Amino acid sequence: MLPVSVVLSFEDALARILALGHPVLAAETTLIDDIDGRILAEDVVASVDLPPFDYSSMDGYAVSTSAFAGTPPVRLPVVGESRTGAVPDAMTPGTTMRIFTGAAVPEGADAVIMQENVTRDGDAAVFTSTPRVGQNVRRRGEDLRAGTTTLTRGTRLRPPHLSLLAALDLSSVSVARRPEVAILATGDELRRPGTDALPGTIPESNTVVLRAMARRAGARARALPFVRDDRAATERAFAAALDEADVLVTIGGVSVGDHDLVRPALEAVGVELDFWRVAMKPGKPLAVGRLARSGRRDAIVIGLPGNPASAMVTFALFGCPLLRAMQGETRPFPTARRARMTRAHAHDPGRLELARATVSSDDAGLTVTTLGNQASGAVTSMAHSDALVLIPADASGIPAGAHVDVLFMADLTA
Ligand code: AMP
Ligand code: MG
């Protein structure tokens, strides 16, 4: 545990939070219908060749190229057919066989001529071109050989991976279980959106976005009833949530105001705080810690600031990567891209700034434009940005035309 006065750099905070992802959650065998977005917990080794047999990529005629020794046209009797779902007879030398896309190439044939290039003349087919060996034939194992490792543990499964697993004849695979996330908003001013707008109240707008982001990161996330700025109620709610969830995400009350009860309440229920201040903007007050539980994995707490932009940015940068790390994802933090600033951005040195921005491109590559309102409470600029620009802590402003690192929201909350 660090002295509370320490302000961590963004990189140190991220490294510490990712370390909390270990050990990885247990694996569970899951039907391939239910694994989109989950993290693979085993290497997948192909047990079959892909394709599993030589097949035709065209509707046409299977031939042996040895029948094309002379000058075209070549005329061959059509004997039999090869259709999908059936095993064809071997092809008699000096004949041709009707064949359809996806059907097995018969023994004795080494090429397929597409039907558009063939003239039928009764029981015979007339070919005007000479095929090369393997023409329009997809060879067994040319895509993937049995015994090859094709997906590795720690891969986040996307839709095309599901198709590959199905093609490999797998109906289920081992994936990390989903982290259980409880989200708890604190504050006397909060009410549910769409309810009575009593003076002094505001609609609570963080839970809904954090839950959606947690779900996209593979978690099972639920929102708990809000707690008031009351020490006893806060402790009770924390204790109950920490008994059930893998990760408790609290919102608000994490600063140093008189009504900021989160940090003392976490300590009172036994949470060991790892750090609580990060040199970043937005999001400086951020509490991260863990609660030891006998015979179980430690519960992890992330105490987010209540300002909506701060809550979203800190959860995207720390919360989602933590959830991915807990599931064993190989690269839980997205890769930054380089982009060119279309206009200058003012910055006071001291903290890493995650500036909300829109991305576009021109002939020279990606371009990025930081938005005008970067206030921590500005929900519109969050909703209208598609990326965060990393303005280095020591920079005293970024001029137009400079190249910067950019994190895409689509990658952060993929
Ligand atoms: P706090 O972090 O509790 O000091 O709150 C900082 C600012 O964010 C205040 O303006 C709060 O009213 C606002 N805020 C806190 N929690 C939420 C929330 N869950 N939804 C919307 N705004 C919030
Ligand atoms: Mg508050």
Side-chain angles (χ1 to χ4, degrees):
M1 184 173 160
L2 295 167
V4 286
S5 57
V6 169
V7 181
L8 288 184
S9 70
F10 170 74
E11 292 78 9
D12 288 348
L14 181 63
R16 279 174 166 265
I17 214 162
L18 290 178
L20 292 175
H22 296 285
V24 170
L25 295 169
E28 57 191 19
T29 301
T30 307
L31 291 174
I32 59 169
D33 310 72
D34 300 323
I35 59 172
D36 181 30
R38 306 285 294 273
I39 312 297
L40 196 57
E42 60 178 344
D43 288 345
V44 175
V45 180
S47 60
V48 293
D49 288 326
L50 286 185
F53 52 85
D54 294 359
Y55 74 90
S56 175
S57 63
M58 291 285 173
D59 291 324
Y61 292 82
V63 295
S64 167
T65 51
S66 62
F68 289 75
T71 28
V74 169
R75 183 190 168 88
L76 298 172
V78 180
V79 181
E81 70 171 18
S82 179
R83 51 194 296 174
T84 54
V87 179
D89 293 335
M91 207 175 71
T92 320
T95 70
T96 182
M97 190 183 280
R98 188 81 174 101
I99 193 167
F100 301 95
T101 305
V105 174
E107 209 184 302
D110 60 5
V112 170
I113 300 182
M114 59 195 281
Q115 66 187 34
E116 290 84 340
N117 297 340
V118 178
T119 313
R120 277 302 290 259
D121 180 12
D123 289 343
V126 181
F127 305 96
T128 49
S129 60
T130 302
R132 58 178 174 76
V133 174
Q135 182 170 308
N136 298 323
V137 174
R138 296 280 173 262
R139 286 267 171 219
R140 172 180 180 159
E142 75 175 21
D143 193 9
L144 187 67
R145 289 244 171 251
T148 310
T149 301
T150 184
L151 293 175
T152 49
R153 174 207 297 253
T155 301
R156 178 150 31 126
L157 295 165
R158 292 179 289 100
H161 294 134
L162 312 191
S163 171
L164 172 59
L165 294 168
L168 289 172
D169 232 339
L170 295 168
S171 58
S172 60
V173 287
S174 181
V175 294
R177 84 161 164 82
R178 293 182 182 279
E180 300 281 344
V181 174
I183 302 171
L184 183 57
T186 71
D188 288 333
E189 73 278 37
L190 305 179
R191 60 177 173 79
R192 296 213 163 277
T195 58
D196 253 1
L198 298 174
T201 66
I202 59 165
E204 197 283 324
S205 61
N206 284 332
T207 304
V208 68
V209 55
L210 300 179
R211 187 166 55 180
M213 285 162 65
R215 285 179 173 166
R216 286 183 177 213
R220 240 192 280 276
R222 67 203 168 91
L224 302 175
F226 311 151
V227 284
R228 301 287 150 211
D229 290 321
D230 169 89
R231 178 71 185 266
T234 305
E235 283 180 28
R236 273 196 307 278
F238 284 2
L242 286 163
D243 190 40
E244 290 189 356
D246 297 303
V247 178
L248 168 63
V249 178
T250 70
I251 305 164
V254 80
S255 196
V256 290
D258 290 349
H259 303 287
D260 291 326
L261 304 167
V262 165
R263 202 162 55 85
L266 286 174
E267 284 173 329
V269 300
V271 169
E272 188 183 320
L273 283 171
D274 193 26
F275 61 89
W276 71 288
R277 292 201 293 172
V278 181
M280 62 189 275
K281 181 190 164 188
K284 184 172 176 187
L286 173 77
V288 173
R290 62 164 99 197
L291 177 72
R293 300 182 294 189
S294 67
R296 298 158 69 193
R297 208 176 187 289
D298 290 355
I300 301 170
V301 185
I302 308 181
L304 303 176
N307 267 312
S310 305
M312 283 181 242
V313 168
T314 46
F315 194 71
L317 266 64
F318 296 116
C320 295
L322 167 68
L323 296 174
R324 298 205 171 103
M326 291 173 77
Q327 296 165 82
E329 184 169 352
T330 311
R331 273 184 296 280
F333 195 83
T335 308
R337 262 70 83 82
R338 297 290 283 174
R340 202 176 74 253
M341 297 280 281
T342 60
R343 59 178 189 224
H345 184 89
H347 177 78
D348 297 327
R351 295 189 273 166
L352 170 75
E353 182 179 355
L354 288 311
R356 284 148 264 169
T358 55
V359 175
S360 189
S361 65
D362 60 20
D363 287 346
L366 288 177
T367 60
V368 66
T369 306
T370 53
L371 299 176
N373 186 358
Q374 297 287 337
S376 313
V379 275
T380 53
S381 61
M382 245 359 257
H384 298 157
S385 68
D386 31 49
L388 298 173
V389 179
L390 282 79
I391 313 282
D394 57 5
S396 53
I398 305 283
H403 283 81
V404 287
D405 281 334
V406 170
L407 291 167
F408 281 39
M409 290 306 297
D411 293 336
L412 285 163
T413 62

